[in-house]
Amino acid sequence: MLIRTNDSGFNHPHPSEITPRAAYERRQFMQGLVAGGAAASGALGLLPGVAQAAQGDAGYTLSGKLATLPSMRSKVSGAATMEKLTAYKDATTYNNFYEFGTDKSDPARHAGTLRTRPWKVEVTGLVGKPMTFGIEELLKLSAQEERVYRLRCVEGWSMVIPWIGYSLSELLKRVEPTAAAKYVEFVTLADKATMPFVGSRVLDWPYTEGLRLDEAMHPLTLLSFGMYGEVLPNQNGAPVRLVVPWKYGFKSAKSIVKIVLTDKEPGTAWNKAAKNEYGFYSNVNPDVDHPRWSQATERRIGEDGLFARKRKTLMFNGYEAQVGQLYAGMDLKKYY
Amino acid sequence: MQKNSSQATDAVLRGRWVKPLAFMLCLVPFSWLLYAAFNDQLGANPAEALVRSTGDWTLRMLCVVLAVTPLRQWLALPSLGRLRRMLGLFAYFYAALHLLSYAWFDMGFELPELLRDIAKRPFILVGFAAFLLLTALAITSPKAAVRALGGKRWQMLHRAVYLCAGLALLHFFWMRAGKNNFAEVFVYAFIVAGLLLARVAWRLRSRRQAAA
């Protein structure tokens, strides 16, 4: 009756499963060519099928539902886990995006109303050069990189997603944060006309999130415009979102319209809603439980069978080597 | 006229096929879940879907079984009473499936971990208490138990079904509290409160009629 594996849920790839660097780079190169070609052929209405078949080599096929977003391999350390990717269908139908409803299937059903063009992101506060960027400008601000990150939700499930974007630091450098700037606040869209659940009292809208400036400047902190070779689907935070892979998913604000640099820790939407459950830091930490459930294990969506044991959650979601020093000496039970 | 139509309906409900039909209806959610689980119809997180839907069906069945007495009284349909025990046992069946899926899919059947989880988390503890209480009601559901306990005592015990419903609601409320998402909790609470009030109203009415 009990179906168990011997790995106690701690499933790292065998060396033999890891793609040799040469092959990986070749794939990335091919992928760039194909994505570029797909963009061109898409514009001409030609050969989308060819692009999809070739892209399969990169671990996924384009869904063909959205515009492609060409990208290069990221050189950032830790930016490409080799774990099995979550299926596109699961990553785009199992979402938390409360502006469109609280059920996991609501965002995919309701986010079609979101208008992602025109779109502007205002960057302001304690900066030398406050600026407002149009989305087209933002897309071209730095080279688009593909990064395969683990995503761990505070609810105890996880995915592996190939995001496209560039380090948030690329953007922040342009606006020249002043010496007084210590934190970065992210404000997301709250449009009652297109987001049916804004107006419910579940959260204090608009959804806001925040990072300490050094966290925001960390190369792994990604300003993301796409996933799986294409631009972001609306339910995943189109047209621009944050991805902070060592923190619980809710720290990664979706559909961002404003970024404010401040000298005080900004209030965040979930912290305001339930202070004792969702702290400001919200680093993935198997040793600090959520008040209502353990964070020691997680269920990898679509991969572990119904009867498989859940896998062990890794400190900082497995990015400890990259980000551990940001929290040296901090009591992570207090600053959860 | 109304009395006649009530009597007619009551006679229909007395029919031989009514119990088997109700039995089949109560099995529909279970059959659907079984089908969905084997045909990849439960979405991206099937384990969560199973835990949640068995919890939902427990609450729904509790509402159904609590509706029997008020419907019987207000609509003058005494034959509805025949269905009550079966409906109650189905509420227990879905509660047991709910506990089983939590223990299996969430806790991997690790007993120490399960006990630690129950002790540590009030909302799990409350849900577990509701299950234990429902177990007591299920065990004492046979007619032999009614005889053994005596009608009065048996009835006292089985009034605990309201406590079960209250604990189940608290369990659900607490589960949703982290996300301030109470809409569904309130729907169930409203129904349970309404069914409780219907009993109080019936009792007041009978007392007034007795006095008159």
Side-chain angles (χ1 to χ4, degrees):
Chain A
M1 191 162 76
L2 291 174
I3 301 166
R4 282 190 179 156
T5 56
N6 294 324
D7 58 22
S8 65
F10 195 66
N11 216 341
H12 279 320
H14 297 292
S16 60
E17 290 170 352
I18 297 173
T19 311
R21 174 174 278 258
Y24 184 70
E25 282 174 2
R26 192 169 64 241
R27 283 180 199 173
Q28 292 286 319
F29 173 65
M30 291 290 291
Q31 193 185 330
L33 280 184
V34 166
S41 62
L44 296 168
L46 292 170
L47 299 172
V50 174
Q52 283 181 26
Q55 191 97 12
D57 199 35
Y60 55 82
T61 47
L62 295 172
S63 78
K65 288 179 186 158
L66 296 162
T68 54
L69 183 58
S71 61
M72 296 160 35
R73 188 175 75 89
S74 176
K75 292 191 174 66
V76 172
S77 159
T81 171
M82 296 296 174
E83 283 157 284
K84 188 168 170 275
L85 299 180
T86 299
Y88 182 84
K89 184 170 175 273
D90 287 345
T92 55
T93 55
Y94 190 79
N95 305 104
N96 281 320
F97 197 165
Y98 277 24
E99 285 80 345
F100 296 103
T102 52
D103 194 272
K104 296 280 187 301
S105 56
D106 284 340
R109 265 185 290 166
H110 302 315
T113 50
L114 179 68
R115 299 268 69 91
T116 57
R117 295 291 186 283
W119 192 277
K120 285 195 170 97
V121 179
E122 186 189 356
V123 190
T124 183
L126 301 173
V127 295
K129 289 188 191 165
M131 289 162 97
T132 298
F133 299 87
I135 187 67
E136 306 302 339
E137 205 182 337
L138 267 189
L139 279 161
K140 283 180 276 185
L141 187 101
S142 187
Q144 295 282 348
E145 300 173 10
E146 181 167 83
R147 304 200 184 168
V148 184
Y149 283 166
R150 288 177 287 273
L151 168 79
R152 170 62 154 80
C153 178
V154 71
E155 296 166 343
W157 51 266
S158 61
M159 296 186 180
V160 178
I161 296 179
W163 301 103
I164 301 168
Y166 48 78
S167 295
L168 175 68
S169 61
E170 296 290 338
L171 172 69
L172 294 179
K173 277 187 269 177
R174 308 284 163 119
V175 296
E176 298 173 4
T178 69
K182 295 278 183 295
Y183 294 92
V184 188
E185 181 185 32
F186 303 90
V187 183
T188 76
L189 184 70
D191 176 22
K192 274 191 188 175
T194 56
M195 299 173 136
F197 220 70
V198 172
S200 78
R201 276 176 295 175
V202 171
L203 285 173
D204 193 4
W205 314 103
Y207 190 95
T208 55
E209 254 308 335
L211 294 172
R212 224 167 50 193
L213 186 59
D214 59 341
E215 297 177 321
M217 293 300 285
H218 192 282
L220 280 177
T221 301
L222 183 73
L223 194 64
S224 175
F225 303 87
M227 56 194 263
Y228 298 84
E230 299 173 341
V231 298
L232 289 168
N234 287 355
Q235 62 269 33
N236 292 80
V240 54
R241 66 170 292 169
L242 205 64
V243 184
V244 193
W246 69 93
K247 291 174 180 282
Y248 293 121
F250 68 89
K251 288 298 286 183
S252 298
K254 290 169 168 169
S255 304
I256 295 169
V257 293
K258 195 173 171 185
I259 298 174
V260 192
L261 284 92
T262 67
D263 54 356
K264 286 185 192 67
E265 186 181 293
T268 69
W270 279 114
N271 190 241
K272 281 186 254 175
K275 213 173 189 54
N276 62 327
E277 301 198 359
Y278 311 102
F280 175 78
Y281 285 94
S282 293
N283 292 312
V284 174
N285 187 340
D287 303 325
V288 178
D289 284 352
H290 184 276
R292 283 174 293 123
W293 56 83
S294 163
Q295 291 293 24
T297 59
E298 66 199 44
R299 176 173 287 119
R300 183 62 56 81
I301 295 297
E303 188 181 326
D304 301 340
L306 196 51
F307 305 120
R309 291 189 8 169
K310 296 200 276 190
R311 61 177 60 215
K312 282 180 183 156
T313 288
L314 304 175
M315 188 63 197
F316 295 118
N317 203 20
Y319 299 94
E320 187 167 17
Q322 288 81 23
V323 303
Q325 81 286 353
L326 293 176
Y327 309 101
M330 267 175 77
D331 179 354
L332 295 174
K333 283 202 161 68
K334 188 175 169 202
Y335 298 100
Y336 59 91
Chain B
M1 179 64 201
Q2 215 222 314
K3 193 157 195 187
N4 286 340
S5 77
S6 277
Q7 279 168 347
T9 314
D10 197 54
V12 171
L13 285 173
R14 218 170 280 281
R16 266 211 321 224
W17 46 270
V18 170
K19 260 194 182 180
L21 183 71
F23 190 89
M24 300 301 277
L25 279 177
C26 290
L27 272 179
V28 167
F30 175 68
S31 317
W32 161 249
L33 287 175
L34 216 53
Y35 169 83
F38 282 102
N39 290 281
D40 198 19
Q41 299 281 303
L42 290 170
N45 193 345
E48 178 192 68
L50 284 175
V51 173
R52 294 204 173 172
S53 47
T54 49
D56 286 344
W57 281 108
T58 305
L59 274 169
R60 286 171 199 154
M61 287 307 300
L62 277 173
C63 290
V64 168
V65 74
L66 284 172
V68 168
T69 297
L71 286 176
R72 197 184 55 180
Q73 292 170 334
W74 288 101
L75 301 179
L77 298 170
S79 58
L80 270 180
R82 289 193 312 144
L83 298 175
R84 196 168 59 170
R85 180 169 53 168
M86 186 178 75
L87 295 172
L89 284 171
F90 264 110
Y92 184 66
F93 172 67
Y94 283 105
L97 284 179
H98 181 56
L99 178 69
L100 180 72
S101 21
Y102 153 77
W104 197 341
F105 308 138
D106 274 354
M107 295 290 131
F109 268 145
E110 296 272 333
L111 195 63
E113 223 162 287
L114 190 117
L115 292 176
R116 218 176 307 137
D117 205 48
I118 290 173
K120 189 168 177 185
R121 298 170 217 293
F123 96 102
I124 303 264
L125 183 66
V126 162
F128 193 66
F131 178 78
L132 290 182
L133 204 52
L134 273 180
T135 307
L137 303 196
I139 289 171
T140 56
S141 69
K143 285 190 178 110
V146 186
R147 278 194 297 272
L149 283 167
K152 265 247 158 70
R153 257 192 294 171
W154 185 91
Q155 202 176 22
M156 286 270 282
L157 177 65
H158 279 248
R159 285 210 176 109
V161 70
Y162 269 105
L163 186 56
C164 288
L167 290 171
L169 282 172
L170 182 61
H171 170 69
F172 193 33
F173 176 87
W174 240 328
M175 202 270 281
R176 288 284 169 89
K179 297 211 160 177
N180 286 326
N181 185 15
F182 300 121
E184 277 178 78
V185 184
F186 289 152
V187 171
Y188 289 110
F190 185 77
I191 293 170
V192 170
L195 294 172
L196 185 60
L197 282 176
R199 281 171 161 81
V200 175
W202 181 263
R203 198 168 274 200
L204 288 177
R205 195 183 89 148
S206 329
R207 208 173 286 170
R208 231 179 310 127
Q209 280 173 348

